[in-house]
Coordinates of all heavy atoms in Angstrom, one line a residue:
A90 N -16.2 38.1 62.8 CA -15.4 37.6 63.9 C -16.0 38.0 65.2 O -16.7 39.0 65.2 CB -13.9 38.1 63.7
G91 N -15.7 37.2 66.2 CA -16.4 37.5 67.5 C -15.4 37.4 68.7 O -14.3 36.7 68.5
V92 N -15.7 38.1 69.8 CA -14.9 38.0 71.0 C -13.4 38.4 70.7 O -12.5 37.8 71.1 CB -15.0 36.6 71.7 CG1 -14.5 36.7 73.1 CG2 -16.4 36.1 71.6
T93 N -13.3 39.5 69.9 CA -12.0 40.0 69.6 C -11.6 41.1 70.5 O -10.4 41.6 70.4 CB -12.0 40.5 68.1 OG1 -13.1 41.4 68.0 CG2 -12.1 39.4 67.1
S97 N -16.3 42.5 74.7 CA -17.2 41.5 74.1 C -17.2 40.2 74.9 O -18.2 39.6 75.2 CB -16.9 41.3 72.6 OG -17.7 40.3 72.1
R101 N -20.5 38.7 77.0 CA -21.1 37.4 76.7 C -21.0 36.4 77.9 O -21.9 35.6 78.0 CB -20.4 36.8 75.4 CG -21.0 37.5 74.2 CD -20.2 37.4 73.0 NE -20.1 38.6 72.3 CZ -21.0 39.2 71.6 NH1 -22.1 38.6 71.3 NH2 -20.8 40.4 71.0
Y114 N -16.5 31.6 76.0 CA -16.1 32.9 75.5 C -14.7 33.2 76.0 O -13.8 33.8 75.3 CB -17.1 34.0 76.0 CG -18.4 33.8 75.5 CD1 -19.5 33.3 76.3 CD2 -18.7 34.0 74.1 CE1 -20.7 33.0 75.8 CE2 -20.0 33.7 73.6 CZ -21.0 33.3 74.4 OH -22.2 33.0 73.9
E124 N -13.0 33.2 66.9 CA -14.4 32.8 66.5 C -14.7 33.5 65.2 O -14.5 34.7 65.1 CB -15.4 33.3 67.6 CG -16.8 33.1 67.2 CD -17.8 33.8 68.0 OE1 -17.5 34.7 68.8 OE2 -19.0 33.5 67.8
F126 N -17.8 33.5 62.2 CA -19.1 32.9 61.8 C -19.7 33.5 60.6 O -19.3 34.7 60.3 CB -20.1 32.9 63.0 CG -20.4 34.3 63.5 CD1 -21.4 35.0 63.1 CD2 -19.6 34.9 64.5 CE1 -21.7 36.3 63.5 CE2 -19.8 36.2 65.0 CZ -20.9 36.9 64.5
E153 N -24.1 46.0 67.1 CA -22.7 45.8 67.3 C -21.9 46.6 66.3 O -21.8 46.1 65.1 CB -22.3 44.3 67.3 CG -23.0 43.6 68.5 CD -22.5 42.2 68.7 OE1 -21.7 41.7 67.9 OE2 -22.9 41.5 69.7
E155 N -18.9 47.6 64.2 CA -17.7 46.8 63.9 C -17.0 47.4 62.6 O -17.6 47.5 61.6 CB -18.0 45.3 63.7 CG -18.8 44.8 64.9 CD -18.9 43.3 64.9 OE1 -18.3 42.6 64.1 OE2 -19.7 42.8 65.8
D174 N -23.4 44.5 63.3 CA -23.7 43.1 63.4 C -24.8 43.0 64.4 O -24.6 42.7 65.6 CB -22.4 42.4 64.0 CG -22.6 41.0 64.4 OD1 -23.6 40.4 63.9 OD2 -21.8 40.5 65.2
S176 N -27.7 41.9 66.8 CA -27.6 40.7 67.6 C -28.7 40.6 68.6 O -29.1 41.6 69.2 CB -26.3 40.6 68.3 OG -25.2 40.7 67.4
E181 N -28.8 34.4 72.1 CA -27.4 33.8 72.3 C -27.1 33.5 73.7 O -26.5 32.4 74.0 CB -26.4 34.9 71.8 CG -24.9 34.3 71.9 CD -23.9 35.3 71.6 OE1 -24.1 36.4 71.0 OE2 -22.7 35.1 72.0
L188 N -26.4 30.7 68.3 CA -25.8 31.8 67.7 C -26.3 32.2 66.3 O -26.6 33.3 66.0 CB -24.2 31.6 67.7 CG -23.5 32.9 67.2 CD1 -23.4 33.9 68.4 CD2 -22.1 32.5 66.7
K192 N -27.8 35.9 65.3 CA -27.0 36.7 64.4 C -27.5 36.9 63.0 O -27.3 37.9 62.4 CB -25.6 36.1 64.3 CG -24.8 36.2 65.6 CD -24.4 37.6 66.0 CE -23.5 37.6 67.1 NZ -23.0 39.0 67.4
G264 N -15.7 42.3 64.9 CA -16.0 42.2 66.3 C -16.3 43.5 67.0 O -15.9 44.6 66.5
T265 N -17.0 43.4 68.1 CA -17.4 44.7 68.7 C -16.7 44.9 70.1 O -16.4 43.9 70.7 CB -19.0 44.7 69.0 OG1 -19.3 46.1 69.4 CG2 -19.4 43.7 70.0
Ligands
LIG319 O1 -19.7 35.1 70.4 C1 -20.6 35.5 69.8 C2 -20.5 36.7 68.8 C3 -19.4 37.7 69.1 C4 -19.5 38.9 68.3 O2 -20.3 39.1 67.4 C5 -18.6 40.0 68.6 O3 -17.8 39.9 69.5 O4 -18.7 41.1 68.0

Side-chain angles (χ1 to χ4, degrees):
V92 196
T93 51
S97 173
R101 281 162 226 280
Y114 301 105
E124 179 195 8
F126 58 93
E153 293 190 356
E155 306 192 10
D174 170 25
S176 301
E181 185 187 340
L188 188 80
K192 293 288 189 177
T265 191

